[in-house]
């Protein structure tokens, strides 16, 4: 039996909702700084004379490698240091990277500057840790929903801002001709720096649910403590990585696919994808958050993650259908299901793990999701095209279908049995067997 020590009242911290709103705004702006470049890919490609392979490296490895290397150290800092100061540093680095993107003159410059922007993805772990200390466990499902929504909302707003700011470039003489795309990351980065200023006055909340003998003691003890939850966490991690790989590939290549297959312009395609990345995730996250709080703790969250992964399956066909409307509908189904699945996985981590090792877990999962979900995933489709001579849309569809099967095979039923106890176990067993028929049943 693992014992926990709880600090603070069960009603939540003072002004918790206002603090959460600021944290979500900062996190959303970090995701917008990543996605604002997506509708500008073809324009930047022509301006800098780079290839699809270069674009895949910039949107994949560049955005992910620095963050992946720093994930475990940042995770330990979340467990042992002032999280507010850490969040300020990450927010500043992210927005400075966006500003610097506007000054890139070569592939190398763009690679480095987007790498700096990519550090913002680590803000999620800091925000989740802070939110768990601002709210009691019975409200964390909905809180996690808002945090996940902030990411998707920010991701969608990046596309919107790109469409809004592109016309502004013609009224500002700083960048002209083929370089007009640079105004979007420049103006957004400057606005993001201003948005982060209130963090300097926000205080660190008291830590809840600590576990004796972990935390600042040693990294080795942290790994030992995490391994006690391994039957649940490790299969969950593989499923989470596959989900993020599929979602990031769809986000990066959706506008180019729609533009090339259906003749949509950058602004029009960006606005369409922005709507798809905003409304369906909103509905999926709200439904999943409410159900997670009303369910039986981590068991309810696991059921949500499993059911949502099944919901997202048909969306893998969005790049290869013949109608722009059908393609948009399938993409909406894909992102709605993946949002709910990721919310379930995030809710499990903050409901199950003690405060002292949450940051370490976020660091470990961050390394894996950034290495595979963000660094590798965007380059897979161009690599497959280069190796087979096929089209980008077909390659993207094949990889999305393959990731669905990977997620299903590796989401081990033993993890579901571990977290779904008592009266819900037969229902969880049946649902898991339905969704993952090729897995071994270990109840």
């Amino acid at each position: 039996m693992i014992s926990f020590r709880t600090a603070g009242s069960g009603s939540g911290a003072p002004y918790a909702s206002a603090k959460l709103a600021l944290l979500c705004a900062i996190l959303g702006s970090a995701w917008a700084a990543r996605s604002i470049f997506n509708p500008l890919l073809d324009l930047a490609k022509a301006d800098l004379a780079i290839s699809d392979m270069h674009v895949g490296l910039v949107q994949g490895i560049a955005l992910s490698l620095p963050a992946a290397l720093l994930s475990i150290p940042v995770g330990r800092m979340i467990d042992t240091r002032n999280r507010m100061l850490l969040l300020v540093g990450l927010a500043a680095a992210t927005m400075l990277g966006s500003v610097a993107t506007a000054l890139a003159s070569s592939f190398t410059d763009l690679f480095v500057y987007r790498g700096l922007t990519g550090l913002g993805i680590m803000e999620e772990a800091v925000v989740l840790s802070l939110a768990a200390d601002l709210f009691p466990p019975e409200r964390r499902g909905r809180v996690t929903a808002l945090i996940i929504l902030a990411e998707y909302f920010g991701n969608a707003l990046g596309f919107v801002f790109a469409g809004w700011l592109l016309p502004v470039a013609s009224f500002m003489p700083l960048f002209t001709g083929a370089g007009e795309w640079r105004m979007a990351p420049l103006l957004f980065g400057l606005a993001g720096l201003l948005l982060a200023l209130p963090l300097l006055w926000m205080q660190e909340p008291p830590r809840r649910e600590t576990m004796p003998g972990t935390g600042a003691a040693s990294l080795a003890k942290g790994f030992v403590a995490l391994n006690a939850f391994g039957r649940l966490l490790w299969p969950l991690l593989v499923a989470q990585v596959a989900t993020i790989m599929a979602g990031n590939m769809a986000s990066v290549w959706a506008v180019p696919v729609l533009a090339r297959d259906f003749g949509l312009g950058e602004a029009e395609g960006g606005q369409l994808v922005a709507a798809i990345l905003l409304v369906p995730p909103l509905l999926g996250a709200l439904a999943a958050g409410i159900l997670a709080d009303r369910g039986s703790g981590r068991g309810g969250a696991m059921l949500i993650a499993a059911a949502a992964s099944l919901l997202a399956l048909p969306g893998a066909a969005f790049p290869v259908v013949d109608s722009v409307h059908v393609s948009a509908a399938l993409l909406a189904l894909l992102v709605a299901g993946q949002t709910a699945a990721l919310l379930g996985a995030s809710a499990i981590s903050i409901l199950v793990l003690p405060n002292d090792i949450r940051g370490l877990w976020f660091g470990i999962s961050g390394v894996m999701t950034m290495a595979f979900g963000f660094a590798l995933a965007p380059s897979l489709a161009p690599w497959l095209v280069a190796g087979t001579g096929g089209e980008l849309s077909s390659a993207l569809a094949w990889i999305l279908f393959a990731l669905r099967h990977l997620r299903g095979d590796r989401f081990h039923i033993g993890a579901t049995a571990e977290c779904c106890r008592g009266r819900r176990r037969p229902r969880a067993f049946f649902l898991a067997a339905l969704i993952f028929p090729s897995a071994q049943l270990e109840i």
Side-chain angles (χ1 to χ4, degrees):
M1 174 74 70
I2 298 176
S3 60
F4 299 90
R5 205 171 38 223
T6 303
S9 66
S11 60
Y15 307 106
S17 297
K19 293 175 180 178
L20 178 64
L22 175 59
L23 294 175
C24 287
I26 298 300
L27 181 59
S29 69
W31 280 77
R34 296 171 62 92
S35 67
I36 197 171
F37 189 63
N38 291 4
L40 311 174
L41 290 177
D42 285 343
L43 297 176
K45 176 184 170 184
D47 184 25
L48 298 175
I50 58 179
S51 66
D52 276 347
M53 187 69 70
H54 288 130
V55 170
L57 292 173
V58 166
Q59 292 295 89
I61 294 177
L63 277 176
S64 308
L65 182 60
L69 294 175
L70 293 173
S71 282
I72 291 181
V74 167
R76 287 300 289 166
M77 292 176 69
I78 291 172
D79 292 335
T80 59
R81 298 290 186 267
N82 188 301
R83 292 167 290 182
M84 292 310 307
L85 293 179
L86 179 60
L87 186 59
V88 168
L90 290 173
T94 300
M95 295 307 161
L96 288 174
S98 182
V99 171
T101 297
L103 308 177
S105 59
S106 65
F107 166 71
T108 302
D109 290 345
L110 191 63
F111 191 93
V112 172
Y113 299 150
R114 297 308 291 168
L116 189 60
T117 306
L119 295 179
I121 197 173
M122 294 188 290
E123 293 177 22
E124 179 191 32
V126 185
V127 170
L128 283 170
S129 178
L130 289 167
D133 291 332
L134 290 172
F135 294 91
E138 60 270 16
R139 297 182 61 187
R140 290 179 190 165
R142 283 163 289 179
V143 168
T144 305
L146 292 176
I147 294 171
I148 299 297
L149 277 176
E151 295 179 347
Y152 276 87
F153 190 74
N155 196 39
L157 279 183
F159 289 85
V160 173
F161 286 140
W164 287 349
L165 294 175
L166 273 177
V168 175
S170 60
F171 300 101
M172 304 182 71
L174 186 59
F175 302 111
T176 58
E180 289 184 347
W181 64 270
R182 300 170 183 270
M183 287 304 304
L186 174 64
L187 294 177
F188 185 81
L190 294 174
L193 288 172
L194 293 177
L195 179 65
L197 287 178
L199 290 176
L200 297 173
W201 289 274
M202 184 171 165
Q203 294 183 346
E204 171 95 353
R207 294 181 182 267
R208 299 168 179 257
E209 300 155 355
T210 59
M211 187 167 68
T214 59
S218 70
L219 183 62
K221 285 188 176 182
F223 277 108
V224 171
L226 269 182
N227 200 48
F229 302 91
R231 190 166 179 247
L232 167 66
L233 295 179
W234 307 129
L236 182 67
L237 178 60
V238 177
Q240 183 176 345
V241 168
T243 300
I244 292 176
M245 288 180 72
N248 192 43
M249 288 182 65
S251 174
V252 168
W253 293 111
V255 173
V257 165
L258 293 175
R260 298 173 192 183
D261 291 353
F262 304 109
L264 300 183
E266 283 78 10
E268 184 183 4
Q271 291 173 1
L272 175 61
V273 173
I276 294 172
L277 294 180
L278 179 59
V279 178
L282 173 65
L283 300 176
L286 287 178
I290 293 171
L291 291 173
D293 283 343
R294 292 182 177 179
S296 58
R298 62 189 188 184
M302 179 66 81
L303 287 173
I304 290 168
S309 68
L310 180 63
L311 175 67
L313 174 60
F318 90 88
V320 292
V321 296
D322 295 330
S323 166
V324 63
H325 299 98
V326 176
S327 179
L330 290 175
L331 179 59
L333 186 65
L334 178 70
V335 296
Q338 290 179 336
T339 303
L342 290 177
L343 187 145
S346 298
I348 290 168
S349 64
I350 64 175
L351 286 169
V352 172
L353 296 178
N355 200 314
D356 313 79
I357 56 175
R358 280 182 197 144
L360 179 59
W361 169 248
F362 291 145
I364 294 173
S365 61
V367 170
M368 299 301 293
T369 56
M370 279 181 275
F372 292 95
F374 291 98
L376 178 63
S379 300
L380 288 179
W383 287 345
L384 185 58
V385 169
T388 62
E391 296 182 354
L392 177 64
S393 56
S394 299
L396 184 59
W398 277 112
I399 295 170
L400 290 175
F401 277 116
L403 289 173
R404 163 61 182 90
H405 289 293
L406 171 64
R407 180 173 58 210
D409 290 340
R410 299 299 181 181
F411 203 140
H412 209 275
I413 303 304
T416 309
E418 175 71 14
C419 71
C420 300
R421 302 178 183 274
R423 63 182 177 86
R424 290 187 176 266
R425 178 175 296 207
R427 194 184 316 171
F429 179 87
F430 174 77
L431 178 61
L434 176 66
I435 298 175
F436 310 120
S438 61
Q440 295 179 349
L441 304 183
E442 290 190 0
I443 295 185

